[in-house]
Amino acid sequence: MTPPRPTPATPRLLSRGDLRLLVLALLGDQPRHGYELIQHVSELFVRAYTPSAGTMYPLLASFEQAGWVLAEDDAGRRRFRITDSGRAELLARRDEVKAAQHRAWHRAREIAKADMPPDLRDALRQFKSALVRHHGRWQEGETTQVSALLLQAAALLNGQPPAPVESPEPATPPA
């Protein structure tokens, strides 16, 4: 009897230590509440990963213990602010931070692509291919029209009213 095959492991969303680096970088940008940090990380991973409070608050406590952040009272909630020591740590590990941010961005991109409807994935593939083939051969009005269509699609996805697409003036053939 053959033993059952193990199911493939789900790829890790974060590499070891990445959450620490991402959170420290977020605090380097501005002071934040723990809940804000949880939401920022969740948005970074297109909501496919949301760190729990049980993960975030011990992490912030370890930052406090290391002297990298200070917790300040803000209307009954704790707001975390990076210290000079925390900024020095962030600076000393800037290459690691950039690598963690890069990994997070690519992982979020993979998640978004995997969840994309097949017809949209195919349309994007065709669009990218058309861009490559069209390189350097733009005619008057084409960039304006294509840009307007892309902005209209972005507005639709962002839940905003799309701006009307104006018809470009017909290109005049060269004499």
Side-chain angles (χ1 to χ4, degrees):
M1 184 162 136
T2 308
R5 289 183 177 199
T7 56
T10 305
R12 289 179 55 108
L13 291 173
L14 290 168
S15 294
R16 185 167 179 83
D18 280 359
L19 183 61
R20 292 178 65 81
L21 297 170
L22 295 171
V23 170
L24 192 60
L26 286 168
L27 290 170
D29 293 339
Q30 69 182 56
R32 300 176 197 269
H33 296 104
Y35 180 76
E36 286 178 274
L37 291 164
I38 290 169
Q39 293 306 306
H40 276 281
V41 172
S42 181
E43 288 172 17
L44 178 65
F45 287 97
V46 292
R47 300 201 190 327
Y49 166 70
T50 301
S52 68
T55 298
M56 185 59 69
Y57 289 102
L59 176 62
L60 291 169
S62 74
F63 285 0
E64 278 186 283
Q65 197 170 20
W68 298 345
V69 300
L70 285 176
E72 304 164 331
D73 184 54
D74 179 28
R77 294 173 43 198
R78 295 177 73 199
R79 180 184 302 271
F80 298 88
R81 178 179 53 81
I82 197 165
T83 62
D84 289 341
S85 177
R87 287 201 188 287
E89 179 69 14
L90 199 52
L91 184 61
R93 299 181 72 182
R94 73 176 165 262
D95 291 340
E96 293 173 71
V97 170
K98 285 181 184 178
Q101 290 169 328
H102 184 75
R103 283 189 299 273
W105 184 85
H106 278 286
R107 189 66 185 120
R109 189 168 178 251
E110 288 172 8
I111 293 166
K113 283 175 75 173
D115 288 343
M116 191 179 297
D119 55 338
L120 184 55
R121 190 177 315 127
D122 185 54
L124 280 172
R125 185 187 52 73
Q126 288 182 40
F127 179 71
K128 289 179 198 176
S129 180
L131 278 176
V132 169
R133 284 192 313 274
H134 202 70
H135 177 70
R137 294 183 282 135
W138 294 97
Q139 294 188 13
E140 187 177 329
E142 282 182 329
T143 58
T144 302
Q145 189 175 16
V146 170
S147 297
L149 288 167
L150 289 171
L151 290 172
Q152 191 176 38
L156 174 72
L157 294 177
N158 289 324
Q160 301 166 345
V165 177
E166 296 179 25
S167 299
E169 296 295 320
T172 53

